[in-house]
Structure formats: structure tokens, C-alpha cells
Amino acid sequence: MPKILIVDDEAHIRLLLEQTLEDFEDYGVEILTAGDGKKAIELILKEKPEIVFLDVMMPDMSGYDVCSKIKNEYRLTNVNIIMLTAKGQGIDEKRGLDAGADMYMTKPFDPDVIVKRASEILNIKF
């Protein structure tokens, strides 16, 4: 079963993303959530999601650190990490891509772009 993990310390952002992606559940995709970086790493290692929508600014462990651990330390290159953050400067995007992110998107995000990207990765056509 394909999986999508949403990681954000703000509950309303997690809920908004869950609602944006809920149609994927009709295609057998499981949607998981985490409110911090440590929980995200646990879930990624256990559940092996195909896609992780990852916030950058979180307490204790930033999205950059989570991404770097997953891509560089654990070498899970088949996990598509899409950083979704309010940090929109070029230097922030470079840092995210250098950490191993597959895509860097800024908030506020366009739900259509989120759905389009997820459908491309999962090869699901609506």
C-alpha cells in the first residue's frame, strides 16, 4: 500500500494537507502524519512512505535535519521528500535541496500543485 507522510508542527497545516490529499485514499494510499522531526524519522523508517511533505521550521529537529538524515545517513533515496515551508529565500531552497529534498515548495501552497506532484510520483491519474 502506497503511503504519504505529512510532517508539520502546526495541526491546522497537517489537517489542510490531509484534506488536500484525501482523494488518494480512494486509490489505496494511506496518509500518515507527524507533528515533529523525531516522530517523522520513526515513521519513515517503519512505514517507508513514497512521499513526505516536510515542514522546515519545527521545534527540536528541523526539516533540513530530518531530510539529511533520511537521504544521507539512512540512504532512503526512494522516499520523495517535498519540503513545504514559509522559508522562501533562495538560500533556504538551496539548503533544502542540498539536504536531499526532491522538491522545495513555499507556503501558502497551491493545493492543485500538491495533488499534481503526488499523483505524478504515485502514478495515479484522477
Side-chain angles (χ1 to χ4, degrees):
M1 170 184 298
K3 296 174 183 155
I4 297 174
L5 174 60
I6 298 165
V7 184
D8 201 298
D9 60 321
E10 296 183 42
H12 70 280
I13 299 291
R14 288 193 308 268
L15 181 60
L16 182 59
L17 278 165
E18 281 184 273
Q19 291 170 339
T20 298
L21 297 164
E22 68 187 354
D23 287 345
F24 285 93
E25 292 175 315
D26 295 339
Y27 293 84
V29 177
E30 184 178 358
I31 298 177
L32 309 166
T33 63
D36 62 64
K38 289 179 183 175
K39 181 68 174 173
I41 289 173
E42 286 175 28
L43 282 170
I44 292 167
L45 294 176
K46 179 181 175 201
E47 301 289 341
K48 305 286 193 289
E50 281 74 10
I51 304 171
V52 177
F53 287 99
L54 179 62
D55 185 26
V56 168
M57 295 181 292
M58 296 184 291
D60 298 324
M61 179 180 268
S62 76
Y64 298 127
D65 294 335
V66 171
C67 184
S68 183
K69 259 191 177 322
I70 293 306
K71 292 289 191 155
N72 302 312
E73 186 176 323
Y74 295 111
R75 304 232 181 262
L76 296 178
T77 55
N78 58 332
V79 175
N80 290 275
I81 296 181
I82 300 171
M83 294 196 137
L84 195 56
T85 179
K87 294 179 77 67
Q89 298 293 320
I91 193 164
D92 300 314
E93 181 174 358
K94 181 181 181 331
R95 185 173 174 198
L97 296 174
D98 286 349
D102 297 282
M103 187 174 184
Y104 194 95
M105 298 175 68
T106 55
K107 296 176 186 171
F109 57 85
D110 180 341
D112 292 336
V113 173
I114 297 286
V115 169
K116 181 178 186 288
R117 186 67 180 133
S119 66
E120 289 169 353
I121 292 167
L122 297 173
N123 200 25
I124 294 174
K125 307 285 186 245
F126 289 105

